[in-house]
Amino acid sequence: MPNGRRTALLSSRYGRPHDFDESRAPLLGPKMKTNRTASASAPGLHSSVCLILAIIFATMSAAFGKAAALSLARFDAYSVATSPYYAMSLACVGMQALVWPFALRGYSLSHAYMTMSVVYLNLLMIAHFVFSESITWPNILGAALIAIGNVLIAAGRGS
Amino acid sequence: MPHYVSAVLAAVLAAFAHTLITLGSHRTAGGHWLRVHFDSRVVAGYALLSIASLLSLWAYRVLPLKVAVAIVPIQQVSVLILARVTLQERLSVTQIIGTMFIFFGMIIFGLQST
């Protein structure tokens, strides 16, 4: 299929390319440029769901890691290897690794990576309501700034 | 000193890893959904992430946690620079302001651990 027709077909499927200049990309070959142009445009439901799942799995991984640390009586190889919380934490890391590349197909790396900072907000809630940890003013102020930053990044995508 | 170098190196390696994963995910777009996980760049990216995790684990056995407050923004900046240089990604003015909010938010968020 000619490159122009392929690009048009992919663009119609994935949306209009607007944040990627393929003629200036030094690392992408001709075939990759076509794919990149299409996939870097408006993210589909698939990529959005994968980005949300990546955030959820990253949050759960940290939470299970904390639970594993609290549940271990001794910190040795056997205790870590047999800890169900630690196994759950590793499983969440694996699940995040599975969905992360799909999120990156629809979102630019800079957008997706900065959006992952939502994990800080989730962990703040879990730390307080599940692990009964105290929340400090720097926590609240930092979380508020992160939340505002994420709203601005999401809003700026369409501008 | 080697522990500081290791912590910074881990942050930069992680940024390279995410760039490789992005390149791999775009290269396999349109193919079978499982193909992305066998792409050489994605595999290399996750291998780099593993090395970065081991390096930071080794570093933070000695370094105080307050160093992480400075290292995390280094990783964020590295990702943005690599995304700009290798992927030619552009951020709008609103997104740059949002990014600054997140940088300072993460620094302030970690202040209680210093």
Side-chain angles (χ1 to χ4, degrees), chain B residues 37-103:
Chain B
H37 298 296
F38 298 98
D39 182 82
S40 57
R41 296 186 192 208
V42 173
V43 172
Y46 281 121
L48 263 186
L49 266 187
S50 305
I51 294 170
S53 300
L54 291 176
L55 277 175
S56 57
L57 196 67
W58 181 73
Y60 288 113
R61 285 183 66 196
V62 174
L63 295 178
L65 194 58
K66 64 182 178 185
V67 175
V69 178
I71 296 295
V72 169
I74 288 177
Q75 186 169 332
Q76 303 277 342
V77 171
S78 304
V79 166
L80 292 180
I81 291 173
L82 281 173
R84 181 76 185 91
V85 172
T86 62
L87 303 168
Q88 298 297 316
E89 290 181 1
R90 290 191 295 259
L91 291 176
S92 66
V93 175
T94 314
Q95 286 178 317
I96 291 171
I97 295 170
T99 302
M100 299 301 292
F101 268 88
I102 291 176
F103 284 154

Side-chain angles (χ1 to χ4, degrees), chain A residues 59-139:
Chain A
T59 306
M60 288 172 64
S61 169
F64 280 124
K66 173 71 177 176
L70 289 176
S71 66
L72 291 180
R74 296 180 301 149
F75 192 78
D76 54 35
Y78 179 78
S79 303
V80 170
T82 56
S83 165
Y85 290 121
Y86 193 68
M88 291 296 290
S89 178
L90 280 181
C92 288
V93 170
M95 295 300 289
Q96 188 196 347
L98 283 178
V99 297
W100 181 237
F102 297 113
L104 290 173
R105 278 186 183 170
Y107 289 93
S108 63
L109 174 61
S110 34
H111 186 161
Y113 199 78
M114 297 311 290
T115 306
M116 285 299 287
S117 60
V118 171
V119 170
Y120 280 75
L121 311 183
N122 297 341
L123 286 178
L124 188 63
M125 301 293 172
I126 290 175
H128 182 67
F129 291 110
V130 177
F131 298 109
S132 303
E133 293 181 1
S134 60
I135 294 178
T136 62
W137 279 109
N139 288 150

